[in-house]
């Protein structure tokens, strides 16, 4: 077998980049190792690798590409702005317009700060929650992922879980002591903990719909229960909507469950594929940050007009074209097809789906939390994954990630995907 272009690029990558990847989730460690495919181009629902192979893409770069790759409106906005300068180091109309658009689109978002990544958004929201409450503890949920700031890596899921780490090395004990990880969807555990230690808790931080242990929806009253408990103990409720905002409808996922948090964290889906994050919420809480208040957060690249132009273009298309019902319809087609194929072969699966976002777990139990997700069969996922890859369907290389149907997918891609998955189920 002759070496592919991916092989030779990855050989070069490993020589100069740890593990050959700039984000560990991109490695193939979660599927038993091997050479990741080196992708050179994205167009609509498709990715193309350096060997010229095309793939139907359900990874969507881990979430940002709600409109698919290189959407003409986003591309044109970037091109136009690039010629006007990419950074001014002063307020710019586009960042102001993006902030207005976010505040108009998201329930309870009165003031918002733009940052460049989801990591920064969460790290900053946690800091101002601590400043506002004068408390240090953060309650989060095991298997969630909130970026790679020190505190947020305690008990984290997603890429951290995929490479088999619980709490990564290099996190100071003091930081770890101030973070409590509880099981998602277990309101009694939250209640019990808060009754004991609620007066030390600055914030309860949650992905309202889990996207980093695979997709897990909140049970009935879980989110409203968190809001009530947080309020009763003087803690803030923070929704990390980096994956979920503008994913299921034009707004926050929390609104689907009738719950408005004190603070939101935004990222991936508001940048149109460029580095963009944001955090915000209640005006009195946001007044804690400099130059208004005593807490501090800053960013050289924050609110840069290039990312703001891309994000505005994306949100503009989403609000005008409302692709969500079609994403839901195509998601359901895939959902039903996959379940039917697995059942016919006697392969136990659980499929958790909301709209066009879902995870197919190889397990015979329900998946309602991280333990349930971890029980899914890693070996079977790895074989399924490799069969899909060979058939031209690209997913994130981990059983703890999601498939994303974008606005660029059509019934043709879904039909082709189901042909490939039919073969993959047969092969495992
Ligand atoms: C990806 C992610 C982050 C981190 O965002 P980055 O842009 O990778 O720093 C934070 N929270 C959630 C829910 C995410 O999915």
């Amino acid at each position: 077998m002759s070496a592919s272009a991916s092989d030779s690029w990855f050989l070069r990558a490993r020589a100069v980049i740890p593990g050959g990847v700039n984000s560990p989730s991109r490695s193939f460690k979660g599927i038993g190792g091997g050479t990741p495919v080196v992708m050179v181009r994205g167009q609509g629902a498709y990715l193309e690798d350096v060997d010229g192979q095309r793939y139907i893409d359900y990874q969507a770069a881990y979430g940002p590409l709600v409109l698919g790759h290189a959407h003409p409106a986003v591309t044109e906005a970037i091109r136009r702005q690039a010629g006007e300068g990419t950074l001014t180091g002063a307020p710019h109309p586009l960042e102001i317009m993006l902030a207005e658009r976010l505040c108009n689109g998201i329930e309870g978002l009165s003031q918002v700060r733009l940052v460049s990544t989801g990591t920064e958004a969460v790290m900053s929201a946690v800091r101002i929650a601590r400043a506002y409450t004068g408390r240090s503890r953060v309650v989060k949920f095991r298997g969630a992922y909130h970026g790679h700031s020190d505190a947020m890596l305690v008990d984290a899921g997603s890429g951290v879980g995929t490479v088999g780490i619980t709490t990564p090395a290099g996190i100071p004990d003091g930081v770890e002591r101030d973070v409590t990880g509880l099981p998602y969807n277990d309101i009694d555990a939250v209640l019990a903990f808060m009754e004991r230690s609620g007066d030390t808790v600055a914030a309860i931080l949650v992905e309202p719909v889990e996207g980093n242990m695979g997709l897990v929806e909140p049970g009935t009253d879980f989110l409203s229960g968190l809001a009530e408990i947080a309020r009763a103990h003087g803690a803030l409720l923070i929704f990390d909507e980096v994956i979920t905002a503008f994913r299921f409808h034009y707004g926050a996922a929390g609104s689907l469950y009738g719950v408005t948090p004190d603070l939101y964290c935004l990222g991936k889906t508001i940048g149109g594929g460029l580095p963009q994050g944001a955090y915000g919420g209640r005006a009195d809480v946001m007044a804690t940050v400099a130059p208004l208040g005593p807490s501090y957060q800053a960013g050289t690249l924050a609110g840069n007009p290039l990312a703001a132009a891309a994000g505005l273009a994306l949100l503009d298309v989403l609000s005008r074209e409302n692709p969500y019902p079609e994403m839901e319809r195509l998601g359901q087609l895939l959902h039903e097809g996959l379940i039917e194929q697995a059942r016919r072969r006697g392969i136990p699966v659980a499929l958790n789906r909301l709209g066009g976002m879902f995870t197919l777990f190889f397990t015979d139990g329900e998946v309602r939390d991280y333990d349930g997700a971890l029980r899914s069969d890693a070996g079977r996922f790895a074989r399924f994954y490799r069969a899909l890859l060979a058939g031209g369907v690209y997913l994130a290389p981990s059983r703890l990630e999601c498939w994303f149907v974008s606005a660029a997918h059509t019934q043709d891609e879904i039909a082709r995907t189901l042909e490939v998955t039919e073969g993959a189920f047969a092969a495992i």
Side-chain angles (χ1 to χ4, degrees):
M1 209 173 90
S2 62
S4 67
S6 267
D7 287 327
S8 55
W9 274 108
F10 197 61
L11 207 62
R12 286 171 61 176
R14 277 202 323 225
V16 286
I17 300 171
V21 288
N22 280 316
S23 199
S25 336
R26 297 174 197 168
S27 87
F28 271 13
K29 196 163 174 180
I31 54 161
T35 305
V37 183
V38 178
M39 296 293 184
V40 72
R41 157 172 323 111
Q43 190 60 236
Y46 291 87
L47 274 172
E48 185 183 319
D49 73 16
V50 284
D51 291 289
Q53 292 294 325
R54 295 217 321 153
Y55 304 83
I56 302 171
D57 178 31
Y58 292 98
Q59 183 187 42
Y62 294 91
L65 304 176
V66 188
L67 293 177
H69 298 270
H71 188 282
V74 177
T75 304
E76 178 49 31
I78 293 171
R79 191 172 284 132
R80 195 177 332 112
Q81 185 52 42
E84 303 287 317
T86 56
L87 200 56
T88 59
H92 189 284
L94 286 172
E95 65 181 337
I96 299 165
M97 287 160 66
L98 179 59
E100 286 172 348
R101 212 172 224 294
L102 294 174
C103 289
N104 288 334
I106 291 190
E107 188 78 30
L109 189 72
S110 305
Q111 288 261 300
V112 66
R113 238 324 144 68
L114 299 180
V115 293
S116 297
T117 62
T119 294
E120 281 181 278
V122 179
M123 180 184 76
S124 310
V126 164
R127 181 182 303 134
I128 70 155
R130 285 170 161 163
Y132 181 83
T133 59
R135 302 168 173 183
S136 54
R137 180 165 300 280
V138 176
V139 170
K140 62 196 251 325
F141 295 91
R142 283 205 279 276
Y145 181 69
H146 300 291
H148 67 91
S149 67
D150 281 357
M152 292 303 111
L153 285 178
V154 179
D155 275 336
S158 195
V160 185
T162 300
V163 296
I165 297 173
T166 308
T167 292
I171 311 299
D173 292 344
V175 169
E176 204 174 328
R177 269 197 300 276
D178 277 335
V179 179
T180 299
L182 297 176
Y184 185 74
N185 264 334
D186 187 346
I187 200 73
D188 292 336
V190 179
L191 204 54
F193 180 80
M194 292 298 282
E195 270 165 12
R196 253 189 345 266
S197 310
D199 60 348
T200 66
V201 173
I204 299 177
L205 169 65
V206 66
E207 292 176 70
V209 175
E210 266 302 333
N212 282 296
M213 51 180 83
L215 186 144
V216 181
E217 262 200 88
T220 316
D221 297 336
F222 181 62
L223 298 178
S224 56
L226 293 180
E228 202 173 298
I229 295 168
R231 196 176 318 114
H233 292 275
L236 299 184
L237 180 64
I238 307 177
F239 278 177
D240 181 349
E241 296 234 16
V242 166
I243 293 185
T244 56
F246 303 103
R247 159 75 49 205
F248 310 110
H249 72 128
Y250 190 84
S255 307
L256 299 174
Y257 303 89
V259 181
T260 304
D262 300 293
L263 292 174
Y264 287 98
C265 307
L266 306 171
K268 296 182 176 114
T269 56
I270 61 162
L274 262 64
Q276 184 67 271
Y279 68 99
R282 274 169 49 187
D284 61 326
V285 178
M286 291 304 286
T288 311
V289 71
L292 294 178
S295 191
Y296 196 80
Q297 170 275 316
T300 302
L301 299 174
N304 74 78
L306 200 62
L312 274 168
L314 170 114
L315 292 173
D316 192 45
V317 173
L318 290 176
S319 74
R320 246 183 319 108
E321 296 185 359
N322 186 25
Y324 300 105
E326 181 64 3
M327 287 156 78
E328 151 74 30
R329 190 180 75 83
L330 297 179
Q332 189 179 351
L333 278 179
L334 264 180
H335 181 163
E336 286 166 358
L338 289 165
I339 291 288
E340 202 269 319
Q341 291 174 350
R343 187 173 301 135
R344 224 170 340 97
R345 306 250 169 217
I347 297 171
V349 295
L351 197 148
N352 288 356
R353 178 179 67 88
L354 190 60
M357 172 174 162
F358 65 89
T359 302
L360 177 72
F361 296 99
F362 290 98
T363 180
D364 50 12
E366 257 193 304
V367 178
R368 301 191 68 242
D369 58 19
Y370 194 39
D371 287 344
L374 287 176
R375 274 195 293 274
S376 66
D377 189 327
R380 199 163 239 175
F381 176 81
R383 293 192 294 281
F384 187 71
Y385 185 90
R386 288 180 197 281
L388 261 53
L389 199 61
V393 173
Y394 191 71
L395 312 179
S398 164
R399 77 195 200 282
L400 303 175
E401 299 283 355
C402 299
W403 302 46
F404 297 100
V405 174
S406 78
H409 288 76
T410 71
Q411 198 146 330
D412 291 348
E413 281 80 40
I414 305 302
R416 173 65 197 142
T417 301
L418 286 170
E419 284 170 25
V420 176
T421 56
E422 175 72 42
F425 280 119
I428 65 172

